[in-house]
Amino acid sequence: MNNSLRAIMLTCTSLTSMLGTVSYAEEASTTNTQVGLEEIMITAQRRATSLQTTAAAISALSATQMKARSIDDVEDLGQFNPGMDVAIYQGEAQIYIRGIGYSGIIGGTDSSTALHLDGVYLSRSSAAVPAFFDVDRVEVVRGPQGTLYGRNATAGSVNIISKKPTDEFSAEVSALYGNYNRYKLFGAVSGPVSDTVKVRLAAQMEDHDGYTTLIRPNSDPLGLGDVMGEAEGKDDFMARLTVQIDPSEDLTITLTGDYYKADDTGSVWIYQNRGYATNPFFQQYMADRGGVLPEEKSRIFVSDLEHFNKPEIWGLTGKIEWALGDYALTSLTAYKKTNPLNRNDLDSTGAFGVDQLREEDHSQFSQEFQISSPGGEKLEWILGLYYFSEENDVRNEYFLPFADEQFGLPSDDECCLLKLNGSSKTKAVAAFGEATYDMTDTLELVLGARYSWEERSGINAVELASFPSDALNNFAALDDASWTSFTPKFGLNYTVSDEVYLYTTVSKGFKSGGYNVGSYQNTPFDPESIWSYEIGVKADLFDDRLRLNSALFYYDYSNLQIQDVEGNNTIVRNAASAEIKGIEIEGTGFLSDNLQLDFGFAWLDSKFTELNIIDPKRPTLGELDLEGNALPRAPKFKFNVGLQYTVPLESGASIMIRGDYAWQDETFFSAFNVPELYQDSYSWGKARVTYTNPDDTWDISAFVDNISDEVVAKNATFNGDIIDSTASGNLAPPRTYGVEVSFRF
């Protein structure tokens, strides 16, 4: 922690001293002009409201604020958001909020944190990567959102709002170059094409070399040729076209199409530690072939495989907004096609041991209708209907060339490909409503409810291909299974003054049950639910120079869904019950007209209150009582602080200097809280300096991220027993730095 803090202070001090010779306007230091925090409008409650009078714990960042903080993706967002933890794993975003989330080991799993792009729920975690592009703002809603958002929002929701067409012609161009030979090119044009039609087209391409170096074995069994390879590289392209049609003053139609494709080495398993070493045969097999494990958490290791990551994602959205007098009717229709595809070397050695291929062929369709009452009335309400369907074909395939010998059979070069494949279908329907009633001029009553029905079915297609016996195969139809849920919400909001707002909320969240597709588990797992009790205070103080928001919450969490490995089989457990309680504080303030302070703090106390299961890696211990164990990915403490200083120059230009620092407590990645799946406390620092010209038509920035080059495990899991139960996962990005220039027309 101290190394990063000193690094930030040194960076900012050096930048300031470099600017010491710059002559800036004398009146800037003597002016009596009062600065103040601007009102932030959000749509987290399905209508435009002020952040400071919205009864929920919400962090909102604009495009300008994210650029100043060098936030380029959803993983960066989690680094400096209290109560939030994000990892990008095999191209998917694993998002945890207040200790609740879901870490899928194999393809086809659902998250406990809802992700929305322009109001559309995206069920695949891999869709988070292209969604974070040409962003107008991001809203992180913490806490269960069972009423307005519904399915799979037990942790909360991340709402990404893209930029819309402008009333006048405008254009943006930016170019970035950094270490690891990184470059990113972005361009957008926007404006009217007729009196009733406006268009925005944005595109971006990004490329960088791999963070991980792969050393090829001398034997080169697959004929790769290269002495060196790489993993964690990036080479992607994305584009979005938005067309807004205004046939009349009362009707707006917005059509959006987006596309994303990558062809890189972005997916990798990093060896973390020896784990439990459950397969002596595999150990000897690898040793006989020169397979030597690398150093723990090393980004340099020997690999005989070519890693690749080739996802393709596209979608279409149609939104109709119709003003019926003072009432508003909204229709939101969306289709999304998501096809992640990647390959990894699981044994992390130069021996031909085991690799993994993951692929999904996923499509989803959703339709939502909303009608809302006029704003500013004594009674305000919103009603809605929601329909969702999806189909997903899943491939999780592992080549195990030693499997025949493992079972005492003659060696066969064709053996063996373990196919943990399958397919799933989902249908969901919901009706919801929420109302706010002014009991007095200062006291509001909030009532809401959602009724949800969901049905799931599928196929398990598990096969050990080319193995002499079919005893390890599992071909089974997964019969229709359905669940219903009623998720109410109750709240009281009290306006103390124009500056202080209080709220208290009781709400329920729901995540549906389902099937563990691509496994030997042919029975469904049950839903999980959560009751949340929250009190919050939002305040703008000292003539709007300090904004201070805080929340105190308690969760009663039942039937948790936890993914684990049993033998060589990935299963989903309903892990009894847990409780979570915590405090969050966020603030922004002006220490002077030119110096801004941002800060956040989270204290989280999460523990299982009833959980008795057998550890599949240590079965001889019998059934373990895990009462009191911390939930995975739930650090007890986390805080962040940022300082931003703006130097106004005599010419009218400006220089912005910003440094950010975050610290996060120790984290377990397993319900068993074992040291093999663990990350110690760590700190993270970043800095940025930006020069903006007098007309605000261009700027140039220099930045550095992960200043002290911390090595941080973002997640970890045990491999199957057949490949010796080593612990693998992925790491946060290493130190990166670069220069970015942007032009606005």
Side-chain angles (χ1 to χ4, degrees):
M1 183 170 76
N2 293 333
N3 290 338
S4 288
L5 186 58
R6 284 196 295 268
I8 291 177
M9 294 175 64
L10 179 61
T11 301
C12 293
T13 301
S14 301
L15 290 170
T16 304
S17 64
M18 290 167 57
L19 299 170
T21 58
V22 179
S23 174
Y24 59 93
E26 183 176 343
E27 61 269 21
S29 61
T30 60
T31 179
N32 292 321
T33 302
Q34 190 81 11
V35 298
L37 295 161
E38 296 180 354
E39 183 180 25
I40 300 174
M41 300 302 295
I42 59 175
T43 54
Q45 300 299 299
R46 303 298 181 112
R47 65 166 78 208
T49 60
S50 169
L51 175 67
Q52 294 305 99
T53 56
T54 301
I58 301 171
S59 300
L61 289 173
S62 67
T64 301
Q65 292 170 322
M66 286 188 288
K67 182 177 180 179
R69 293 162 173 79
S70 298
I71 295 177
D72 291 327
D73 56 35
V74 70
E75 187 172 21
D76 292 336
L77 187 68
Q79 201 72 258
F80 292 88
N81 196 302
M84 187 179 184
D85 183 67
V86 182
I88 301 297
Y89 169 76
Q90 295 188 313
E92 299 181 354
Q94 297 180 348
I95 304 174
Y96 278 68
I97 298 177
R98 293 177 173 176
I100 300 176
Y102 200 71
S103 299
I105 299 173
I106 62 175
T109 56
D110 290 331
S111 173
S112 297
T113 303
L115 176 69
H116 292 83
L117 173 61
D118 294 328
V120 176
Y121 169 68
L122 305 179
S123 70
R124 296 297 93 202
S125 297
S126 53
V129 176
F132 218 92
F133 153 69
D134 196 30
V135 175
D136 181 63
R137 71 179 184 279
V138 174
E139 302 167 2
V140 178
V141 188
R142 299 188 293 274
Q145 303 299 312
T147 302
L148 294 180
Y149 292 91
R151 70 190 312 269
N152 301 340
T154 47
S157 179
V158 176
N159 302 335
I160 302 172
I161 297 91
S162 65
K163 292 184 178 180
K164 300 300 183 288
T166 51
D167 293 330
E168 298 181 356
F169 174 80
S170 64
E172 304 172 49
V173 178
S174 67
L176 179 152
Y177 184 77
N179 62 330
Y180 293 97
N181 199 30
R182 178 190 178 193
Y183 70 84
K184 181 169 70 172
L185 303 175
F186 169 82
V189 292
S190 179
V193 294
S194 72
D195 293 340
T196 59
V197 179
K198 294 181 289 187
V199 174
R200 180 177 182 87
L201 175 63
Q204 176 179 294
M205 59 185 302
E206 184 173 3
D207 186 287
H208 67 69
D209 295 341
Y211 300 146
T212 294
T213 299
L214 306 177
I215 302 172
R216 300 305 182 194
N218 292 331
S219 61
D220 194 15
L222 299 185
L224 297 175
D226 296 334
V227 177
M228 294 288 186
E230 67 172 42
E232 295 187 281
K234 190 171 189 177
D235 184 1
D236 64 13
F237 170 81
M238 59 189 80
R240 181 182 295 124
L241 174 65
T242 304
V243 180
Q244 181 177 319
I245 307 169
D246 299 297
S248 68
E249 294 182 357
D250 299 328
L251 181 63
T252 298
I253 302 171
T254 304
L255 306 175
T256 304
D258 56 70
Y259 179 78
Y260 169 82
K261 187 174 184 178
D263 187 357
D264 53 39
T265 60
S267 181
V268 67
W269 288 77
I270 299 291
Y271 171 76
Q272 309 242 350
N273 58 68
R274 195 67 189 82
Y276 285 130
T278 56
N279 189 350
F281 176 88
F282 183 76
Q283 297 168 27
Q284 188 62 50
Y285 177 90
M286 298 299 288
D288 291 344
R289 288 155 180 78
V292 179
L293 289 169
E295 295 182 10
E296 295 182 1
K297 298 181 181 179
S298 173
R299 277 193 157 105
I300 301 176
F301 60 89
V302 182
S303 175
D304 63 319
L305 294 178
E306 193 72 57
H307 293 63
F308 65 75
N309 176 57
K310 300 181 179 181
E312 186 172 19
I313 302 169
W314 60 272
L316 299 171
T317 302
K319 185 176 184 180
I320 301 174
E321 299 169 283
W322 190 9
L324 302 174
D326 293 332
Y327 296 85
L329 176 65
T330 302
S331 170
L332 186 60
T333 309
Y335 177 83
K336 197 77 173 180
K337 184 74 172 175
T338 306
N339 299 101
L341 171 63
N342 53 65
R343 185 192 190 194
N344 290 290
D345 186 353
L346 289 190
D347 58 74
S348 300
T349 75
F352 187 38
V354 57
D355 71 319
Q356 179 196 36
L357 178 73
R358 295 180 75 211
E359 183 179 18
E360 295 182 51
D361 184 3
H362 174 269
S363 61
Q364 70 169 72
F365 172 81
S366 62
Q367 174 63 58
E368 184 166 355
F369 295 105
Q370 303 170 17
I371 185 168
S372 57
S373 66
E377 301 292 329
K378 191 176 185 69
L379 175 65
E380 295 184 10
W381 50 263
I382 181 171
L383 298 173
L385 295 172
Y386 180 74
Y387 172 80
F388 174 87
S389 67
E390 68 176 344
E391 296 185 4
N392 196 14
D393 294 325
V394 178
R395 289 178 65 197
N396 296 286
E397 299 184 353
Y398 306 80
F399 189 70
L400 311 173
F402 57 89
D404 44 11
E405 298 179 47
Q406 168 87 64
F407 291 97
L409 300 171
S411 179
D412 181 355
D413 292 340
E414 299 295 323
C415 184
C416 293
L417 182 64
L418 177 61
K419 300 179 179 181
L420 302 180
N421 300 338
S423 63
S424 65
K425 293 183 179 181
T426 303
K427 290 183 180 180
V429 179
F432 62 90
E434 186 169 303
T436 302
Y437 178 73
D438 294 340
M439 301 176 67
T440 69
D441 290 343
T442 57
L443 184 64
E444 297 175 334
L445 172 66
V446 180
L447 295 175
R450 187 184 190 103
Y451 181 81
S452 303
W453 173 87
E454 186 156 347
E455 180 182 79
R456 292 197 165 188
S457 61
I459 296 173
N460 265 331
V462 177
E463 178 186 11
L464 188 57
S466 300
F467 192 69
S469 170
D470 61 1
L472 299 178
N473 297 346
N474 178 38
F475 291 93
L478 306 177
D479 296 333
D480 291 350
S482 61
W483 300 268
T484 61
S485 179
F486 178 70
T487 49
K489 176 181 178 180
F490 313 94
L492 285 174
N493 309 328
Y494 182 64
T495 303
V496 179
S497 65
D498 291 340
E499 294 80 25
V500 181
Y501 180 81
L502 307 178
Y503 70 88
T504 178
T505 301
V506 178
S507 61
K508 184 181 181 183
F510 164 76
K511 180 181 178 182
S512 67
Y515 282 104
N516 185 23
V517 173
S519 75
Y520 293 95
Q521 184 179 359
N522 296 328
T523 56
F525 50 87
D526 293 328
E528 64 181 23
S529 63
I530 182 171
W531 276 100
S532 169
Y533 308 86
E534 182 168 328
I535 299 173
V537 181
K538 299 188 175 186
D540 285 349
L541 307 172
F542 306 115
D543 294 326
D544 293 332
R545 295 182 70 93
L546 173 65
R547 175 165 293 154
L548 189 62
N549 296 342
S550 60
L552 172 68
F553 58 90
Y554 173 82
Y555 291 168
D556 183 4
Y557 201 4
S558 59
N559 277 349
L560 284 78
Q561 299 168 3
I562 291 182
Q563 193 174 65
D564 206 348
V565 177
E566 188 173 84
N568 300 299
N569 183 31
T570 300
I571 64 171
V572 176
R573 305 178 187 270
N574 285 97
S577 59
E579 68 174 23
I580 304 173
K581 50 191 174 184
I583 299 172
E584 295 169 343
I585 301 172
E586 285 186 288
T588 300
F590 285 102
L591 303 181
S592 72
D593 288 356
N594 300 321
L595 182 61
Q596 177 181 321
L597 170 69
D598 304 296
F599 57 91
F601 169 82
W603 170 75
L604 193 66
D605 182 16
S606 70
K607 60 184 179 182
F608 291 101
T609 56
E610 183 182 353
L611 176 55
N612 296 279
I613 56 176
I614 295 175
D615 184 346
K617 299 302 177 184
R618 300 174 294 172
T620 58
L621 298 179
E623 189 174 79
L624 301 178
D625 183 359
L626 301 188
E627 180 180 350
N629 275 19
L631 270 66
R633 304 275 288 273
K636 193 160 191 176
F637 291 101
K638 181 177 180 180
F639 73 83
N640 62 274
V641 61
L643 278 174
Q644 180 173 311
Y645 186 67
T646 302
V647 183
L649 305 180
E650 189 175 38
S651 64
S654 66
I655 296 176
M656 183 275 291
I657 307 167
R658 184 177 178 93
D660 287 280
Y661 173 84
W663 181 88
Q664 180 170 303
D665 210 345
E666 62 181 6
T667 305
F668 290 102
F669 300 115
S670 165
F672 295 99
N673 287 188
V674 292
E676 290 81 5
L677 304 180
Y678 168 85
Q679 170 60 47
D680 200 359
S681 61
Y682 69 92
S683 57
W684 195 274
K686 58 168 58 178
R688 188 179 186 98
V689 57
T690 300
Y691 170 85
T692 304
N693 77 320
D695 298 328
D696 192 28
T697 55
W698 65 269
D699 60 66
I700 185 169
S701 303
F703 62 88
V704 57
D705 201 350
N706 191 3
I707 293 175
S708 55
D709 203 18
E710 300 286 336
V711 178
V712 177
K714 296 298 290 183
N715 56 27
T717 186
F718 287 125
N719 289 313
D721 288 343
I722 198 169
I723 53 175
D724 210 27
S725 297
T726 52
S728 300
N730 76 305
L731 305 179
R735 180 194 295 120
T736 56
Y737 51 85
V739 178
E740 183 176 23
V741 59
S742 302
F743 296 90
R744 294 168 291 278
F745 307 97

